[in-house]
Amino acid sequence: MLESQRQKQKLKTKNNIIEVALKQFAKDGLTTTRTADIASIAKVSHGTIFAHFETREILLGEVIEEFGRRITSRLHELVSSNCEMKEVLQAHLQGISEYEEFYTRLILESRLLNEDARNSIIMIQSAVSFHIIQVAEREMKEGKIREMPVDLLFNTWIGLVHHYLINSDLFTKENSVLKTYGDKLINHYLNLIAN
């Protein structure tokens, strides 16, 4: 019983650190956020961070994986098996807009991250592409969208979204770029691929 309580507290502390780290990495950057700052905000000792995560890179990797779980879970929640392309794109934007600041940091700083972190990012993109490509293949057969290589179809969408996120200061100073321009991006993209 005592061990079980200790394990529960340990898990609660670890989850709190991950939650705080996600917010701090979004705010201060994936490569520049200090573990001491995460510890201070999480109200734990600096050593506690390293009791749960051997290195800063391991902490960042677990934060990226948690973000990936949330995004893919949200996408699975929002997308039905027979939905249309517009619904998948809306679900994708809704999922990432909930973590827009972190996601923007992720795409901006991905080349500076270690291989494990970059692989986690690839897995997140693969989950998103799976849903988009599934719908695209069906809609190509139905003649709703033009025949084209599905990898280019997905990469065009991601490129459009990433362009707006990376350059958000050009589009809006204070608001979420995805909430402000999401419908415009979706409509533009659908016009590009429409048959």
Side-chain angles (χ1 to χ4, degrees):
M1 179 80 167
L2 186 59
E3 189 62 31
S4 177
Q5 276 297 81
R6 176 179 272 165
Q7 288 172 335
K8 285 180 185 177
Q9 183 57 45
K10 195 173 180 181
L11 183 61
K12 184 177 177 185
T13 300
K14 182 178 182 178
N15 290 338
N16 180 49
I17 292 168
I18 288 173
E19 199 61 42
V20 168
L22 192 145
K23 291 175 184 165
Q24 280 309 113
F25 286 132
K27 181 178 173 274
D28 295 335
L30 306 179
T31 59
T32 55
T33 296
R34 299 172 341 134
T35 53
D37 295 336
I38 293 169
S40 175
I41 294 165
K43 297 184 179 15
V44 299
S45 72
H46 195 208
T48 300
I49 299 284
F50 296 104
H52 291 278
F53 310 95
E54 287 182 37
T55 65
R56 182 188 181 287
E57 287 73 28
I58 290 172
L59 169 60
L60 177 58
E62 289 208 31
V63 169
I64 292 170
E65 286 178 16
E66 177 59 26
F67 166 76
R69 278 191 290 278
R70 292 178 186 185
I71 292 300
T72 55
S73 173
R74 192 73 171 120
L75 195 56
H76 292 319
E77 279 176 26
L78 296 170
V79 174
S80 67
S81 59
N82 59 351
C83 68
E84 294 189 1
M85 182 61 76
K86 184 173 185 171
E87 293 168 294
V88 175
L89 301 177
Q90 288 171 330
H92 180 227
L93 291 187
Q94 185 176 343
I96 61 176
S97 71
E98 294 169 12
Y99 302 96
E100 185 171 328
E101 202 173 352
F102 181 79
Y103 186 73
T104 301
R105 290 284 189 175
L106 200 58
I107 58 177
L108 276 170
E109 299 180 39
S110 64
R111 290 180 161 239
L112 304 173
L113 303 178
N114 67 32
E115 186 177 357
D116 288 341
R118 287 193 314 271
N119 287 337
S120 292
I121 296 167
I122 290 168
M123 295 305 293
I124 294 166
Q125 298 298 27
S126 293
V128 173
S129 74
F130 171 78
H131 287 288
I132 291 175
I133 289 170
Q134 223 179 11
V135 173
E137 288 175 338
R138 187 185 74 237
E139 290 195 358
M140 281 181 206
K141 286 179 186 171
E142 295 171 355
K144 293 180 180 177
I145 61 177
R146 286 185 285 126
E147 290 282 333
M148 66 183 78
V150 290
D151 59 323
L152 290 178
L153 181 131
F154 174 72
N155 290 335
T156 301
W157 169 247
I158 285 296
L160 181 63
V161 171
H162 286 187
H163 174 75
Y164 270 73
L165 288 171
I166 290 169
N167 298 292
S168 62
D169 58 324
L170 299 174
F171 301 109
T172 180
K173 297 290 183 203
E174 298 167 5
N175 299 322
S176 155
V177 74
L178 294 180
K179 289 180 181 169
T180 305
Y181 289 95
D183 289 339
K184 185 176 183 176
L185 296 177
I186 291 168
N187 290 332
H188 175 70
Y189 180 74
L190 291 174
N191 284 334
L192 287 176
I193 64 172
N195 205 1

